[in-house]
Amino acid sequence: MKIVSIKMIKDPIHGFVEFEGEIEHHLKDLLSDPFFQRLRRVKQLGFSDYVFPSAAHSRFSHSLGVYAVAKRMLPIVERDASNGKWSEKGRDCLAAALLHDVGHGMFSHAFEKAMKFFFERNPHLEEECPALRDAVDHEKVSPKIIEDSSIGEHLNRLGGDSCASSVASMIQKSDKGCIYTSIVSGQLDADRIDYAKRDPYFAGVSSGSIDIDWLIRNLRVGSNGSGEFLYVNSKAYISLEQFTVTLFQLYPTIYLHKRTRGLEYMFALLISRVFELIADGKESQAGLTAAHPFVKFMKNPSSLENILLLDDTVFWGSLNLLQDAPDQTVAAMANRFASRKILPMLDVWKMADEVVSSGAIASALPAATRVQTLDSVCGEVCLELQKDEALWGSDCYYDTYGRPIYKRKGTLGGDPQQINVEVGGQIVDIASISPLVASAASFNIHRIYYDDQNEDKEALLKSRIKDLLQTKLNG
């Protein structure tokens, strides 16, 4: 009897991440690839550790967690597989789970936000240099790394010449009707299941609970004639509710925290200015030399080797150089980072809430109507504020974001891209049977960040916002 060796990595969320059999051992070898090792130096939650000190976990550990969850979901699809002997689709699914974040830039989504600022201020460069635009989009960078780097070579040695492109296609959701794709990227996927457990754990916050064991134990494979999908029967749908609500609550608790968003804005201001100087051939004004990774990246953004250079440590290691930059905008913002002097903010939603609560309409508004009303009014107020040229300037920033509890698809009979529940012999979208998920609950932010160097700015903004809110809410 042949003994199949198992290689294990200890993980605080899943206990052990196991690699079993020849296929999985080959996938474990990917962990040593420079592009995957780079994920050790990219934090999962960007600047959240400035607010939650222990939230310093990396994209590396998260990727291992996604692989672990995908490996637990995959036997539901391939019931005859054992000892790590998966089909080609199963192999590609596990590889995609492991590699889904390999293209993330430094500080994860914060880098994409910074480059959005850069292109807004330099629209001609976005048109003239599409390679730069693509190089800061992790959804485009990940497939490029998987197909064109040493990772691609490794995958093709494992599964043939088309293996790397198959893995990349799965990450890109080229076939949204594929059950394997839904394990990697869907509304109930291994990615979301892992970070819904991992992120609150490391942040040290309590945001609901997810019973992964019960959830996975009750997953079944269904078919609607055009393809297969995962579902649970009605006795386990409460676990799906818990998952949906927990994921939703992470947004106000962690992801959209006012301090974190403020730091992301500061990072965007700083990096966009640094890259502007580099684009003009004035990198020395940012305190950098031609050999700096930022400069190399800007000069040749299509190079995967230059993309490999960009991680969180490059920024922190350059902070002292940026603090001494001749350019005062760069130096001032770098000094703010070094001293954690986060730009101040006015919460327009909170101010609107106070206006509504003090008025006669407060008790008359149902919760859902109240949220919709405040969201609409706050948006209108912030847009009008931006039209006030005497008050609004380059030192102001409107930060808005809306996150619904669930994106309803509503396909009767089941779909890989929705959360499916079997009830009364029929497969339906969870929003069809769960009043909680169907509630249209959403979390929205409307915030104004501003530069506190102008002593009168806060008072002027606050007064104008209050006047606008009073007019729109109380007539």
Side-chain angles (χ1 to χ4, degrees), residues 13-29:
I13 305 301
H14 305 295
F16 290 96
V17 180
E18 298 183 345
F19 294 83
E20 179 182 15
E22 184 179 359
I23 290 174
E24 294 177 25
H25 286 186
H26 275 286
L27 293 179
K28 184 179 183 299
D29 290 342

Side-chain angles (χ1 to χ4, degrees), residues 312-387:
D312 298 7
T313 61
V314 168
F315 174 77
W316 294 124
S318 305
L319 195 59
N320 63 321
L321 300 175
L322 301 176
Q323 285 179 270
D324 293 333
D327 184 89
Q328 290 305 300
T329 300
V330 171
M333 199 56 65
N335 280 306
R336 273 190 175 272
F337 263 103
S339 59
R340 195 187 178 274
K341 192 177 180 182
I342 304 171
L343 287 168
M345 175 274 302
L346 291 173
D347 192 330
V348 181
W349 185 286
K350 183 178 180 180
M351 294 172 69
D353 236 343
E354 292 170 354
V355 171
V356 171
S357 298
S358 63
I361 63 172
S363 60
L365 286 178
T369 304
R370 181 188 180 111
V371 169
Q372 292 172 0
T373 300
L374 291 186
D375 185 39
S376 176
V377 168
C378 287
E380 292 173 8
V381 166
C382 291
L383 289 175
E384 287 194 30
L385 200 65
Q386 293 175 76
K387 296 176 183 177

Side-chain angles (χ1 to χ4, degrees), residues 214-468:
W214 180 248
L215 191 58
I216 293 179
R217 185 180 182 86
N218 283 280
L219 283 174
R220 302 287 185 269
V221 175
S223 174
N224 59 8
S226 61
E228 293 182 322
F229 53 83
L230 292 171
Y231 74 95
V232 301
N233 60 32
S234 57
K235 73 176 182 179
Y237 100 88
I238 294 299
S239 295
L240 292 176
E241 271 192 342
Q242 289 177 326
F243 165 77
T244 305
V245 172
T246 295
L247 199 61
F248 174 63
Q249 290 176 338
L250 291 180
Y251 282 80
T253 309
I254 301 176
Y255 305 143
L256 299 178
H257 192 284
K258 61 184 180 181
R259 300 295 184 194
T260 303
R261 297 286 285 190
L263 285 159
E264 289 175 359
Y265 169 50
M266 289 167 53
F267 178 71
L269 287 173
L270 176 54
I271 291 299
S272 61
R273 178 56 182 163
V274 169
F275 280 15
E276 279 177 354
L277 292 170
I278 296 172
D280 290 340
K282 300 176 181 177
E283 58 267 16
S284 61
Q285 289 297 302
L288 308 178
T289 67
H292 192 277
F294 288 169
V295 181
K296 288 184 176 180
F297 171 75
M298 279 293 290
K299 300 298 184 184
N300 187 8
S302 61
S303 167
L304 287 178
E305 293 304 315
N306 289 341
I307 291 175
L308 182 62
L309 296 174
L310 299 189
D311 55 44
D312 298 7
T313 61
V314 168
F315 174 77
W316 294 124
S318 305
L319 195 59
N320 63 321
L321 300 175
L322 301 176
Q323 285 179 270
D324 293 333
D327 184 89
Q328 290 305 300
T329 300
V330 171
M333 199 56 65
N335 280 306
R336 273 190 175 272
F337 263 103
S339 59
R340 195 187 178 274
K341 192 177 180 182
I342 304 171
L343 287 168
M345 175 274 302
L346 291 173
D347 192 330
V348 181
W349 185 286
K350 183 178 180 180
M351 294 172 69
D353 236 343
E354 292 170 354
V355 171
V356 171
S357 298
S358 63
I361 63 172
S363 60
L365 286 178
T369 304
R370 181 188 180 111
V371 169
Q372 292 172 0
T373 300
L374 291 186
D375 185 39
S376 176
V377 168
C378 287
E380 292 173 8
V381 166
C382 291
L383 289 175
E384 287 194 30
L385 200 65
Q386 293 175 76
K387 296 176 183 177
D388 189 339
E389 296 181 0
L391 183 59
W392 191 270
S394 60
D395 58 343
C396 298
Y397 171 63
Y398 171 37
D399 184 24
T400 183
Y401 191 96
R403 207 288 182 178
I405 189 170
Y406 176 70
K407 295 180 180 179
R408 179 172 183 163
K409 190 171 177 65
T411 302
L412 189 63
D415 188 279
Q417 291 299 313
Q418 71 183 18
I419 297 180
N420 302 292
V421 181
E422 184 271 323
V423 57
Q426 196 166 45
I427 308 294
V428 299
D429 190 328
I430 188 175
S432 299
I433 64 167
S434 169
L436 189 60
V437 176
S439 65
S442 65
F443 179 74
N444 309 278
I445 61 171
H446 296 273
R447 297 166 180 161
I448 304 295
Y449 289 89
Y450 58 94
D451 192 338
D452 53 7
Q453 290 187 16
N454 185 338
E455 296 180 359
D456 299 326
K457 197 73 172 183
E458 179 180 0
L460 292 170
L461 282 169
K462 188 177 293 186
S463 175
R464 180 63 175 145
I465 291 169
K466 283 185 175 180
D467 287 345
L468 288 168

Side-chain angles (χ1 to χ4, degrees), residues 160-202:
D161 292 345
S162 63
C163 183
S165 60
S166 176
V167 172
S169 294
M170 203 168 284
I171 292 174
Q172 292 173 300
K173 292 206 299 189
S174 298
D175 183 2
K176 292 183 179 181
C178 174
I179 192 171
Y180 293 95
T181 297
S182 71
I183 291 175
V184 178
S185 183
Q187 296 215 62
L188 179 65
D189 59 21
D191 182 23
R192 287 168 174 80
I193 290 174
D194 180 75
Y195 72 65
K197 292 284 285 187
R198 188 173 302 275
D199 292 351
Y201 174 88
F202 281 100

Side-chain angles (χ1 to χ4, degrees), residues 47-252:
F47 295 104
S48 288
D49 62 325
Y50 262 51
V51 180
F52 308 99
S54 63
H57 54 300
S58 67
R59 288 275 165 185
F60 185 95
S61 62
H62 165 62
S63 296
L64 285 174
V66 176
Y67 170 88
V69 176
K71 187 180 173 183
R72 294 183 65 183
M73 297 174 75
L74 195 54
I76 299 164
V77 180
E78 299 190 359
R79 292 197 174 276
D80 295 331
S82 62
N83 300 326
K85 295 179 180 178
W86 307 106
S87 69
E88 290 185 5
K89 280 280 191 180
R91 174 202 66 204
D92 295 347
C93 177
L94 289 180
L98 190 65
L99 297 169
H100 75 288
D101 274 349
V102 74
H104 264 291
M106 52 184 173
F107 302 106
S108 298
H109 296 289
F111 182 54
E112 293 176 346
K113 183 175 183 177
M115 295 309 293
K116 181 181 178 182
F117 266 57
F118 173 79
F119 288 129
E120 286 175 351
R121 297 181 176 195
N122 304 273
H124 64 287
L125 289 178
E126 185 172 11
E127 296 177 5
E128 295 172 5
C129 190
L132 177 60
R133 181 191 61 224
D134 293 346
V136 297
D137 182 343
H138 80 275
E139 292 184 354
K140 293 183 178 179
V141 175
S142 290
K144 182 177 174 65
I145 289 174
I146 290 169
E147 294 190 73
D148 299 338
S149 75
S150 49
I151 284 181
E153 295 173 4
H154 185 100
L155 288 172
N156 289 339
R157 284 197 299 271
L158 168 62
D161 292 345
S162 63
C163 183
S165 60
S166 176
V167 172
S169 294
M170 203 168 284
I171 292 174
Q172 292 173 300
K173 292 206 299 189
S174 298
D175 183 2
K176 292 183 179 181
C178 174
I179 192 171
Y180 293 95
T181 297
S182 71
I183 291 175
V184 178
S185 183
Q187 296 215 62
L188 179 65
D189 59 21
D191 182 23
R192 287 168 174 80
I193 290 174
D194 180 75
Y195 72 65
K197 292 284 285 187
R198 188 173 302 275
D199 292 351
Y201 174 88
F202 281 100
V205 303
S206 177
S207 293
S209 177
I210 301 174
D211 190 340
I212 295 179
D213 293 337
W214 180 248
L215 191 58
I216 293 179
R217 185 180 182 86
N218 283 280
L219 283 174
R220 302 287 185 269
V221 175
S223 174
N224 59 8
S226 61
E228 293 182 322
F229 53 83
L230 292 171
Y231 74 95
V232 301
N233 60 32
S234 57
K235 73 176 182 179
Y237 100 88
I238 294 299
S239 295
L240 292 176
E241 271 192 342
Q242 289 177 326
F243 165 77
T244 305
V245 172
T246 295
L247 199 61
F248 174 63
Q249 290 176 338
L250 291 180
Y251 282 80

